[in-house]
Amino acid sequence: MSANSVEYKYHWLCGLFITLLFFSVFNFIIDYKLIFNGSVKELLSSATTISSIGVGFLATTKAILISIKNSKTMKWLKDGGHYMTIVDHCMCSIHWCFAFAIYSSICLFFNYDNPTYFHFMVIVLWIFLASTAFSSSYRIIKLFSTILKNDAA
């Protein structure tokens, strides 16, 4: 697979689509101040926790991937040149989840009591990171479950 294929881009394209949809709805249709209902800090705190758990989970999947290196599925993946693609996808997911955790932590320092358009744009970027981290994690979980199913057979 070349780095220019859709497989390498769809996670952030999905994130971009969801972000543009969110931005359009809350910027043009509904007043953006409605998203700041007092629970933004709790949402950001939960997102930090969940994305940090995601980083740990994805690092564990990478360790499991290394530990099953002698299976026939892994040999088939290495012979076909797909092993490094899977490792790249796993590292990509770890990076997106880590970036989402860091950004969510930084967003906790803002005061959302009197929201401005700046706060809305902070949340728009947060939506992009959340949806991109989720879609890249989904990609590696789907790939990894396929590998484990083939390895068990």
Side-chain angles (χ1 to χ4, degrees):
M1 288 281 148
S2 82
N4 294 326
S5 69
V6 172
E7 183 182 8
Y8 280 90
K9 295 178 182 168
Y10 94 87
H11 61 283
W12 62 264
L13 288 173
C14 181
L16 186 62
F17 173 75
I18 291 170
T19 303
L20 289 174
L21 184 66
F22 176 84
F23 178 78
S24 298
V25 167
F26 281 101
N27 195 40
F28 301 120
I29 300 171
I30 302 172
D31 185 20
Y32 70 87
K33 292 182 180 183
L34 291 176
I35 60 173
F36 300 100
N37 61 1
S39 61
V40 174
K41 294 250 184 189
E42 290 83 10
L43 179 65
L44 293 170
S45 178
S46 297
T48 302
T49 302
I50 291 170
S51 58
S52 298
I53 291 169
V55 169
F57 169 75
L58 291 165
T60 302
T61 61
K62 188 176 174 194
I64 291 171
L65 191 65
I66 292 169
S67 71
I68 60 172
K69 65 181 175 188
N70 293 328
S71 70
K72 41 184 189 171
T73 304
M74 282 296 116
K75 289 178 184 173
W76 177 77
L77 287 170
K78 285 181 181 178
D79 291 343
H82 301 293
Y83 181 76
M84 286 310 296
T85 300
I86 293 170
V87 171
D88 288 345
H89 288 333
C90 191
M91 288 306 299
C92 178
S93 294
I94 290 171
H95 291 151
W96 279 108
C97 285
F98 193 62
F100 179 56
I102 290 172
Y103 188 74
S104 295
S105 298
I106 291 169
C107 288
L108 283 169
F109 293 107
F110 293 121
N111 183 5
Y112 299 100
D113 292 337
N114 190 13
T116 63
Y117 198 72
F118 168 76
H119 293 101
F120 175 64
M121 294 310 293
V122 165
I123 297 300
V124 167
L125 181 56
W126 183 83
I127 292 290
F128 172 73
L129 288 172
S131 54
T132 305
F134 176 78
S135 60
S136 67
S137 297
Y138 176 78
R139 174 182 61 184
I140 194 64
I141 289 168
K142 185 123 173 91
L143 281 170
F144 198 73
S145 64
T146 304
I147 290 168
L148 291 178
K149 284 179 190 173
N150 288 338
D151 199 47

